């Protein structure tokens, strides 16, 4: 170690060793300077001899490397550089999401996302992977809508590829539901014994469509945020950055080895660009850093020194990438989240709402005709930039300018100006046997079986799928055409698969729980079947109150 330290710093290590155990050597300033050199040396050794060497060995065997968050989390060193050896920089996020004020597991600051995404951007990596939905206490009410909310939040922060934590292997064909879980804490239970497992392709299809679009082209961020040369923790994930702009972190390695200026903007060999390089005040900088910054400024790059006020002043003459009305302010918003990428001549924005939903005017910097793509329904619609953009709770969309590359199954026309609403009645409900529920129940109007009068407590705890069936009549219009026929279920817990006349209309698993049945209806009487699936939660709670011999569900940790 003495040889490594001497080669890196041009001085001997031994006289300063007491500083590693808390002693002052020389003066406090001299001690801190030594500790900075020591931490940088250790970080560089780990970066090159572990991450770099691992990548070399893996690539020699035709393998790829995915490195998760380490520096600034459990190791001191450069927060970004080790990811250059990763084929896909990787971070992690937890489920359920914790609000900005809660903190702890599931909060934005618990595990860093922005360093990983920034590292991918400045090192020209296409993919930002994430260990996804790491469990923060299994509640057995996990469903697609709740998981979608958390996925959207992290797509908007730069993640492009999800690695589930975890798929739980169920080895026994006779395993009792809901089956195995990771100690009830560590992983969201993706398992073949889940009530909603049969519909997993709908959820993974949504994720895949988002991932495909988020990995196309290059990131479009305005600011490079220099982290400085001290060995430090990451900045707060929820730093109140100037509204309407986005930033990537920058480190010494990319600053001195990969960054250049072309036509007044900062760029890297892969083509990504940034307009401003911000060096916050009080950042420790090496002489080599100052020389690199001076050269970039001399080449026409806009280098801004100082605090947030100086950064705001530098951005004041620039059009915001995304502007909302009413304005969201500099504080991070959980109501409207976004990220911007460019693919060829296309500007593509991923936008997402939180659990409150979003409705407001939005103006994007990109110009031209705009199309809004819904990655759940796979539908596109024309939209006017600067107009009102509405997102249901926990939903997302892609707003695209200058292209028509988004996957789609239909381009719906405007709904008829006049609508006649009616409530469907006289439903027959059918339950699967073995769960203490009646085979069949008649209802005038549909309600949740947890609220049906006359059912036993065990029947109300029924887990799985219940079929609701009824009929409805459709009459032709005077011109001989059938009317637009939509089904609106209001709210579903947790998902509903809709069939009309034996044809699958679709799976409704997030708000709004509505669908267009027009292609499947016929003149006269139509048959409607809705397969409603809930989670294991009610049954697990019920069984926990029963003697072991009477239980029908088992959770194996």
């Amino acid at each position: 170690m003495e040889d490594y330290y001497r080669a890196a710093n041009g001085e001997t290590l031994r006289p300063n060793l007491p500083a590693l155990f808390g002693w002052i050597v020389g003066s406090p300033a001299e001690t801190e300077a030594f500790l900075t050199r020591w931490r940088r040396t250790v970080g560089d050794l780990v970066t090159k001899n572990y991450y770099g060497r691992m990548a070399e060995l893996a690539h020699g065997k035709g393998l790829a490397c995915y490195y998760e968050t380490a520096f600034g989390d459990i190791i001191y060193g450069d927060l970004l550089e080790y990811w250059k050896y990763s084929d896909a920089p990787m971070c992690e996020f937890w489920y359920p999401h914790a609000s900005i004020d809660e903190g702890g597991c599931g909060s934005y600051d618990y595990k860093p996302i922005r360093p990983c995404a920034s590292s991918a951007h400045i090192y020209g990596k296409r993919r930002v992977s994430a260990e996804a939905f790491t469990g923060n206490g299994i509640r057995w009410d996990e469903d697609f809508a709740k998981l979608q909310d958390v996925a959207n939040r992290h797509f908007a922060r730069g993640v492009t590829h999800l690695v589930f934590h975890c798929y739980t292997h169920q080895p026994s064909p006779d395993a009792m539901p809901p089956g195995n879980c990771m100690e009830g804490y560590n992983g969201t239970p993706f398992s073949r014994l889940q009530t909603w497992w049969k519909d997993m392709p709908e959820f993974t299809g949504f994720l895949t469509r988002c991932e495909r679009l988020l990995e196309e082209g290059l990131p479009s961020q305005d600011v490079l945020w220099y982290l400085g040369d001290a060995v430090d923790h990451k900045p707060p994930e929820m730093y109140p950055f100037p509204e309407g702009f986005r930033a990537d972190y920058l480190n010494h390695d990319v600053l001195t080895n990969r960054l250049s200026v072309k036509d007044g903007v900062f760029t890297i060999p892969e083509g990504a660009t940034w307009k401003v390089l911000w060096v916050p005040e009080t950042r420790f900088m090496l002489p080599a850093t100052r020389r690199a910054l001076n050269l970039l400024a001399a080449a026409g790059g806009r280098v801004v020194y100082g605090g947030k006020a100086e950064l705001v002043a530098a951005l004041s003459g620039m059009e915001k990438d995304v502007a909302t009305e009413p304005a969201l302010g500099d504080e991070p918003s959980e109501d409207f989240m976004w990220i911007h990428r460019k693919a060829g001549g296309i500007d593509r924005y991923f936008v997402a709402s939180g659990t409150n939903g979003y409705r407001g005017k939005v103006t994007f910097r990109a110009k031209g005709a705009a199309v809004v793509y819904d990655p759940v329904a796979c539908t596109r619609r024309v939209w006017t930039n600067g107009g009102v953009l509405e997102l249901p709770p926990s939903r997302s969309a892609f707003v695209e300018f200058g292209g028509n590359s988004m996957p789609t199954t239909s381009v719906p026309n405007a709904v008829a100006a006049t609508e006649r609403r009616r409530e469907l009645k006289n439903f027959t409900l059918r339950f699967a046997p073995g769960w203490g529920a009646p085979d069949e129940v008649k209802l005038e109007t549909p309600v949740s079986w947890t609220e049906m009068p006359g059912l036993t407590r065990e029947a109300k705890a029924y887990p799985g799928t219940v079929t609701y069936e009824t009929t409805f009549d459709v009459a032709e219009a005077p011109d001989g055409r059938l009317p637009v026929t939509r089904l609106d279920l209001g709210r579903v817990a947790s998902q509903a698969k809709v069939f009309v006349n034996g044809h699958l209309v679709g799976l409704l698993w997030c708000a709004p729980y509505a669908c267009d049945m027009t292609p499947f209806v016929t003149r006269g009487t139509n048959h409607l079947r809705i397969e409603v699936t809930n989670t294991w939660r009610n049954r697990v709670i019920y069984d926990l109150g029963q003697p072991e011999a009477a239980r029908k569900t088992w959770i194996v940790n």
Side-chain angles (χ1 to χ4, degrees), residues 179-194:
N180 298 326
C181 60
M182 295 289 287
E183 301 178 355
Y185 181 81
N186 287 325
T188 294
F190 294 100
S191 159
R192 66 177 176 84
L193 295 181
Q194 276 282 17

Side-chain angles (χ1 to χ4, degrees), residues 351-423:
V351 297
S353 66
T355 52
N356 295 324
Y358 179 78
R359 188 179 191 279
K361 291 184 177 181
V362 184
T363 302
F364 299 93
R365 184 191 296 156
K367 308 303 179 186
V371 173
V372 177
Y373 171 66
D374 180 345
V376 172
C378 299
T379 57
R380 292 181 296 121
R381 61 183 176 87
V382 175
W383 179 75
T384 301
N385 194 9
V388 172
L389 187 63
E390 185 167 3
L391 295 170
S394 301
R395 287 294 300 274
S396 58
F398 289 88
V399 183
E400 185 174 280
F401 296 81
N404 188 25
S405 64
M406 293 180 289
T408 181
T409 56
S410 63
V411 183
N413 296 319
V415 177
T418 59
E419 293 184 346
R420 183 171 67 90
R421 299 181 64 87
R422 55 175 164 154
E423 185 178 5

Side-chain angles (χ1 to χ4, degrees), residues 66-70 73-74 83 88-96 105-107 110-113 116-117 127-136 147 150-151 154-155 158-167 182 185-188 190 207 211:
Y66 282 48
Y67 295 146
E68 276 203 57
T69 303
D73 188 14
I74 56 174
W83 270 314
M90 191 166 176
C91 49
E92 67 181 87
F93 62 83
W94 288 49
Y95 173 89
C105 296
S107 67
Y110 181 67
K111 290 291 184 179
I113 299 294
C116 182
R127 172 165 289 177
V128 179
S129 281
E131 172 195 313
F133 310 119
T134 304
N136 184 16
L147 297 171
V150 183
H154 292 85
F155 283 151
V159 171
T160 71
H161 177 238
L162 306 188
V163 181
F164 286 170
H165 189 294
C166 56
Y167 173 78
M182 295 289 287
Y185 181 81
N186 287 325
T188 294
F190 294 100
L207 296 177
E211 291 171 349

Side-chain angles (χ1 to χ4, degrees), residues 81-105:
E81 185 177 1
Y82 69 104
W83 270 314
K84 76 179 180 183
Y85 297 112
S86 180
D87 295 288
M90 191 166 176
C91 49
E92 67 181 87
F93 62 83
W94 288 49
Y95 173 89
H97 168 70
S99 70
I100 291 175
D101 297 326
E102 288 179 75
C105 296

Side-chain angles (χ1 to χ4, degrees), residues 54-78:
M54 181 71 77
E56 180 184 353
L57 294 171
H59 294 162
K61 298 293 185 180
L63 301 174
C65 288
Y66 282 48
Y67 295 146
E68 276 203 57
T69 303
F71 287 95
D73 188 14
I74 56 174
I75 305 172
Y76 46 65
D78 191 302

Side-chain angles (χ1 to χ4, degrees), residues 270-404:
E270 292 77 14
T273 61
W274 298 263
K275 297 179 176 65
V276 172
L277 196 166
W278 177 40
V279 184
E281 57 189 348
T282 73
R283 293 291 85 186
F284 169 76
M285 288 190 296
L286 297 169
T289 297
R290 294 190 180 276
R291 289 194 296 269
L293 291 170
N294 291 338
L295 288 173
L296 290 169
R302 190 169 188 180
V303 180
V304 177
Y305 297 90
K308 184 183 173 185
E310 285 73 19
L311 175 62
V312 169
L315 297 173
S316 61
M318 293 171 49
E319 182 182 3
K320 293 179 179 179
D321 200 3
V322 176
T324 59
E325 185 182 332
L328 297 174
D330 292 355
E331 294 292 335
S333 170
E334 292 194 307
D335 291 330
F336 186 76
M337 300 160 279
W338 60 273
I339 196 166
H340 180 194
R341 293 184 71 87
K342 290 179 178 286
I346 298 171
D347 281 276
R348 181 178 294 137
Y349 295 83
F350 175 85
V351 297
S353 66
T355 52
N356 295 324
Y358 179 78
R359 188 179 191 279
K361 291 184 177 181
V362 184
T363 302
F364 299 93
R365 184 191 296 156
K367 308 303 179 186
V371 173
V372 177
Y373 171 66
D374 180 345
V376 172
C378 299
T379 57
R380 292 181 296 121
R381 61 183 176 87
V382 175
W383 179 75
T384 301
N385 194 9
V388 172
L389 187 63
E390 185 167 3
L391 295 170
S394 301
R395 287 294 300 274
S396 58
F398 289 88
V399 183
E400 185 174 280
F401 296 81
N404 188 25

